[in-house]
Amino acid sequence: MPQRASPEQPFRIAIVGSGPAGFYTTEHLLKRLGEAVEIDLFERLPAPFGLVRFGVAPDHQKIKSATRAFERIGAHQAVRFYGNVELGTHLSVDELHRFYHAACFATGAESDRAMGIPGEALRGSHPATEFVAWYNGHPHHGEREFDLSAERVAVVGVGNVAVDVARILCRLPEELERTDIAEYALEALRASRVREVYVLGRRGPAQAAFTTPEIKELGELPGADIMVPRAEAEPDPLSREDVAASDDRALQRKLEILRSYADRAPTGKSRRLVLRFLVSPVELVDDGSGRVGAIRLVRNELYRAGDGTLRARAMDRVEEIPVGLVLRSVGYRGRSLPGVPFDDARGLIPNSCGRVVDLSTGGVIPGFYTSGWIKRGPTGVIGTNKPDAGETVDCMVEDLLAGRGWTPEEPDPQAVDRLIRDREPQVVTFDDWMRLDEIERSRGEALGRPRVKFTSAREVARALGRIWGD
Ligand code: NAP
């Protein structure tokens, strides 16, 4: 039966995940439904903003300014933020039905893909996603250790995450000191003995996933000389055909930049960043103590697959680079949520334009929606999530107005609030977050840094003046 919400009886929506996807979904709902909607935003971490806070590199502060818009949304009177509250631990999906008309899952892609080669589990081999979370002060990754006493490091993959990781490894301490990198990471990177960083692409320069501004920035690092072997900077004949047939100016510019790096002579900077193409890791070699001692690479050539794309195929030439640390940056991957359908092969929530779908029947599950990376996979920049969330909200609003949502038994906003606070006394509200934000900024101001982050739930509780049981 069609429903009409009103300010007295608004639609109540739960959004799980407070990264860009969660905030953009909230923003679209407020725009579409005005006073006829109330939104509870759940976040398992004590701080909001997901990938903007914990993924975007600390030396890319401009990108982090997206949070200004999120702050306005979070402070809206129809929005409540519940930090430190995890779906499945503090609230089940079944319980969401009791309190809300619909739920949207916007939990991103917090896990990573593996390379599937021997030696990947050796000490000194890590997903780049963990390194990123560590240097960004993600509360679940502060305890990790990365051996920065190694002189040589390999970063596998040539996407923007690989570029971020390589750039952070090549930044001088005085550059990092001006960022909001986690304190412990700053200390570790100050003591870093890393002098050579290899970034390894399995296909050629024309297929590299990194974008032009990001690769240009790598050539402007004060502390590292960049180089690309001349033979690898040139696209192979098949790629040249594709480039000539396309009018992709950004790609042409990217190739020009890579060529210019091949022509550069080293200027004697203390670090070296080497971009390699047409090589695939086939094994991480044990140094005899269970640690990575080298990475074995096979040379590739490109061939045209049936779908027209150019893919890598191993040839018989193998080489070995001695490295003490390997960071694989071959893509993020979504994690399943308890009680929510999951497509394990694709690492995302199966959906049709944001409406969650039951994989076995192919039918839409009423009241379940998804947005962001967990909806479409880990692609695109922060802003890509805005139209993506818009698509989901269009579906949600259409369904709600047609009466295809849930009928909550306890729509009183206080009911769910009581239940959550009973289960998790350390809830972080948006007001709490604004206080934390202010403290972080003032701690940073004294040091000429944008902020000094709190990096654990315990630190957050202390800063909020709460007693934290030991
Ligand atoms: P990505 O762009 O998908 O790049 C993944 C890279 O891993 C590709 O180079 C891919 O090569 C390679 N790869 C995959 N499997 C491999 C294997 N088995 N062996 C060797 N290489 C392999 O992913 P990402 O870097 O994680 O970035 C995720 C998204 O976030 C992207 O959309 C990115 O642009 C965005 N992002 C943006 C910024 C920024 O704007 N500054 C910063 C960070 C991230 P193939 O192409 O051959 O598969």
Side-chain angles (χ1 to χ4, degrees):
M1 189 205 305
Q3 288 187 1
R4 191 148 298 279
S6 64
E8 293 73 40
Q9 284 187 309
F11 287 126
R12 297 201 25 79
I13 311 295
I15 296 182
V16 182
S18 72
F23 272 96
Y24 287 132
T25 303
T26 305
E27 185 180 31
H28 283 293
L29 277 168
L30 291 171
K31 275 195 188 138
R32 292 290 307 272
L33 293 170
E35 291 184 355
V37 67
E38 286 175 352
I39 300 153
D40 286 346
L41 197 47
F42 294 105
E43 169 59 59
R44 73 188 174 128
L45 297 179
F49 308 146
L51 213 63
V52 179
R53 181 172 164 96
F54 301 113
V56 171
D59 58 342
H60 277 178
Q61 287 296 315
K62 255 200 202 147
I63 303 181
K64 291 188 189 254
S65 62
T67 56
R68 278 193 221 120
F70 300 161
E71 276 161 14
R72 281 195 299 277
I73 299 163
H76 193 287
Q77 55 175 6
V79 179
R80 295 188 301 189
F81 175 76
Y82 287 96
N84 266 341
V85 175
E86 183 169 26
L87 185 78
T89 304
H90 301 105
L91 203 60
S92 70
V93 165
D94 281 347
E95 284 169 331
L96 292 177
H97 288 78
R98 248 168 69 196
F99 303 111
Y100 300 98
H101 292 89
C104 179
F105 305 98
T107 47
E110 55 160 320
S111 186
D112 71 290
R113 295 199 4 232
M115 297 184 288
I117 58 169
E120 203 166 355
L122 286 172
R123 276 182 289 126
S125 158
H126 310 265
T129 53
E130 281 181 7
F131 187 61
V132 169
W134 172 77
Y135 64 58
N136 272 321
H138 188 297
H140 296 174
H141 295 269
E143 304 296 313
R144 292 196 191 283
E145 281 183 17
F146 298 91
D147 183 3
L148 301 174
S149 69
E151 212 172 289
R152 255 179 243 103
V153 178
V155 180
V156 181
V158 283
N160 281 333
V161 171
V163 170
D164 279 349
V165 161
R167 197 180 63 250
I168 293 297
L169 285 168
C170 287
R171 286 272 186 217
L172 301 169
E174 54 267 37
E175 295 179 90
L176 295 173
E177 277 160 12
R178 297 194 293 267
T179 74
D180 66 355
I181 193 165
E183 281 286 280
Y184 55 75
L186 181 58
E187 278 313 305
L189 286 159
R190 263 196 197 115
S192 164
R193 306 239 292 269
V194 173
R195 289 296 169 265
E196 210 162 40
V197 178
Y198 286 84
V199 180
L200 309 170
R202 63 176 168 184
R203 297 190 290 162
Q207 291 79 35
F210 49 61
T211 41
T212 310
E214 276 65 30
I215 200 62
K216 186 163 174 280
E217 191 181 10
L218 281 192
E220 296 161 355
L221 295 175
D225 281 318
I226 190 160
M227 65 154 298
V228 190
R230 153 92 16 234
E232 293 174 20
E234 282 304 327
D236 71 309
L238 287 173
S239 303
R240 281 208 297 274
E241 271 173 29
D242 288 3
V243 175
S246 92
D247 55 359
D248 185 342
R249 299 289 291 274
L251 173 60
Q252 281 159 10
R253 178 79 190 114
K254 189 154 81 177
L255 290 171
E256 263 169 42
I257 292 171
L258 290 168
R259 257 185 225 117
S260 76
Y261 292 164
D263 292 333
R264 275 198 196 178
T267 62
K269 292 179 182 171
S270 61
R271 298 163 201 220
R272 215 160 79 111
L273 203 162
V274 185
L275 283 177
R276 298 283 313 268
F277 294 103
L278 290 172
V279 285
S280 277
V282 283
E283 185 181 352
L284 303 188
V285 185
D286 194 330
D287 71 350
S289 73
R291 289 197 57 84
V292 174
I295 186 165
R296 190 165 292 153
L297 305 174
V298 66
R299 191 99 210 126
N300 293 329
E301 63 180 354
L302 296 184
Y303 70 97
R304 197 171 295 282
D307 63 0
T309 58
L310 294 181
R311 301 215 186 133
R313 162 164 75 197
M315 299 202 294
D316 54 9
R317 227 173 73 211
V318 174
E319 65 179 298
E320 220 171 86
I321 307 177
V323 291
L325 183 65
V326 175
L327 299 169
R328 59 172 184 274
S329 181
V330 296
Y332 281 79
R333 194 186 141 76
R335 262 212 190 124
S336 65
L337 291 165
V340 182
F342 192 68
D343 182 342
D344 204 43
R346 300 173 65 206
L348 44 75
I349 297 176
N351 70 91
S352 165
C353 303
R355 290 182 173 106
V356 176
V357 163
D358 181 334
L359 263 186
S360 54
T361 64
V364 163
I365 308 180
F368 281 62
Y369 300 85
T370 180
S371 70
W373 275 9
I374 195 70
K375 165 188 173 186
R376 66 174 198 279
T379 59
V381 293
I382 305 289
T384 315
N385 294 298
K386 194 165 177 168
D388 176 279
E391 179 188 62
T392 296
V393 168
D394 284 347
C395 295
M396 205 191 294
V397 171
E398 184 186 314
D399 293 349
L400 286 170
L401 294 176
R404 292 194 294 262
W406 304 327
T407 308
E409 289 158 41
E410 296 183 81
D412 175 5
Q414 295 316 313
V416 67
D417 188 80
R418 274 193 300 273
L419 182 98
I420 292 165
R421 286 175 188 278
D422 193 39
R423 292 177 181 172
E424 179 50 78
Q426 296 292 347
V427 163
V428 175
T429 64
F430 212 71
D431 280 348
D432 292 335
W433 161 250
M434 293 311 284
R435 268 175 64 204
L436 292 166
D437 179 59
E438 209 178 296
I439 303 171
E440 284 191 344
R441 284 180 194 278
S442 67
R443 296 195 318 171
E445 208 173 326
L447 301 166
R449 306 181 56 191
R451 68 176 66 234
V452 174
K453 283 182 175 179
F454 295 114
T455 57
S456 70
R458 200 188 168 86
E459 270 188 318
V460 163
R462 261 208 218 104
L464 291 173
R466 295 175 183 170
I467 295 159
W468 190 256
D470 275 312

